[in-house]
Amino acid sequence: MEAPLPSWLDPGLGTMKRAALWLVSEVGVGKTFTKEQLRAAFPGVSQVDRRMRDLRDFGWRIHTNREDATLDSHEQRFVEQGDPVWLPGRATRRAGTAAIGAGRRRKVLAKDGNMCRSCGITPGELYDGTDEAAQLDIARREVVKPGGVRTTELVTECRRCRVGGRALVADLGEVIRAAAALSPSDRRVLESWLDDDQREFTALDRLWSAYRSLPEESRAQLRSQLGAT
């Protein structure tokens, strides 16, 4: 039998622990809440918003309209409960999850060319076929180094790619092995892309990408139109 949860009203608990208990007890997984509701629940408590954001370092998923376009700017959604931080010894910040300061954020953006490293879009640029402008953010990416050592590195991504790539693990060793196996001609092409830090996509490349994004019924219609099997 599970022990009952501590009360989120217990003033002896820290703000982050109380915020976690408030989410579990008063909001519920999958439900939305507003900044006003959070602040009303913790009157007189300074930086309660920041303490709730700290829960993300312990596996808690709390979405804003940056991750979930269906939310208004004042809304958040409690998506998933992480570590029970109210238990003794469970509220220790994980390695590599220190807050990303403004200075460090600017450096990462500059090194990444101020563009999403997954899709190449730049801030304010419209996604193809939409009126939605891209917003860039800094994501933490787990990287497997040659030899199997795992590290966490920072990378610039747009909101769309960041949401879709949360569980992505980059395997640098595999990329190095694949590059070494290229033919001399393909390696020269890759080196030119690396020098320019970009790749120019042909009309055929863009068409293939558009085809892959279609639902199966529409893909079948295009294959039929072109006489492909």
Side-chain angles (χ1 to χ4, degrees):
M1 183 176 180
E2 294 185 2
L5 292 176
S7 171
W8 67 272
L9 295 168
D10 184 353
L13 296 173
T15 302
M16 185 182 73
K17 296 179 181 180
R18 291 181 60 200
L21 290 165
W22 179 77
L23 285 173
V24 173
S25 304
E26 302 297 321
V27 178
V29 173
K31 302 297 180 59
T32 62
F33 62 95
T34 65
K35 295 178 181 179
E36 290 73 20
Q37 288 173 324
L38 173 63
R39 292 167 184 166
F42 295 86
V45 178
S46 63
Q47 298 186 328
V48 64
D49 294 8
R50 179 176 295 181
R51 298 289 78 80
M52 177 165 285
R53 289 196 297 271
D54 286 345
L55 288 170
R56 292 170 176 163
D57 292 341
F58 302 94
W60 292 65
R61 294 175 60 203
I62 304 163
H63 286 180
T64 66
N65 66 344
R66 291 166 61 182
E67 294 88 12
D68 184 344
T70 67
L71 296 173
D72 290 332
S73 60
H74 66 287
E75 289 182 311
Q76 298 183 61
R77 189 186 307 281
F78 176 25
V79 178
E80 183 179 355
Q81 179 182 331
D83 291 347
V85 294
W86 52 83
L87 296 179
R90 300 300 289 271
T92 301
R93 187 181 289 274
R94 296 174 178 172
T97 58
I100 303 170
R104 192 179 185 195
R105 175 186 172 85
R106 285 194 295 270
K107 287 182 180 179
V108 174
L109 285 167
K111 287 182 177 180
D112 284 344
N114 286 289
M115 68 178 182
C116 174
R117 302 308 300 185
S118 293
C119 71
I121 203 166
T122 56
E125 184 179 349
L126 298 180
Y127 291 104
D128 286 344
T130 75
D131 295 324
E132 181 185 357
Q135 299 178 27
L136 298 187
D137 204 348
I138 305 301
R140 291 183 172 91
R141 175 76 73 247
E142 186 176 357
V143 180
V144 181
K145 299 286 190 177
V149 176
R150 289 178 176 252
T151 64
T152 300
E153 300 177 13
L154 300 180
V155 64
T156 304
E157 285 189 322
C158 69
R159 181 175 64 182
R160 283 188 176 185
C161 293
R162 183 168 179 262
V163 171
R166 289 183 182 278
L168 178 65
V169 176
D171 192 331
L172 177 59
E174 179 60 31
V175 175
I176 291 174
R177 288 190 292 272
L182 291 174
S183 67
S185 59
D186 284 346
R187 182 159 184 161
R188 286 193 294 271
V189 173
L190 176 62
E191 289 172 351
S192 70
W193 293 344
L194 298 179
D195 289 340
D196 296 337
D197 198 25
Q198 64 178 347
R199 174 192 170 188
E200 293 295 332
F201 290 93
T202 67
L204 188 58
D205 289 326
R206 292 192 292 271
L207 181 57
W208 173 251
S209 179
Y211 165 75
R212 291 293 301 274
S213 70
L214 293 172
E216 169 53 27
E217 183 177 343
S218 295
R219 295 199 304 272
Q221 184 175 349
L222 177 60
R223 292 194 299 269
S224 176
Q225 184 75 22
L226 296 177
T229 57

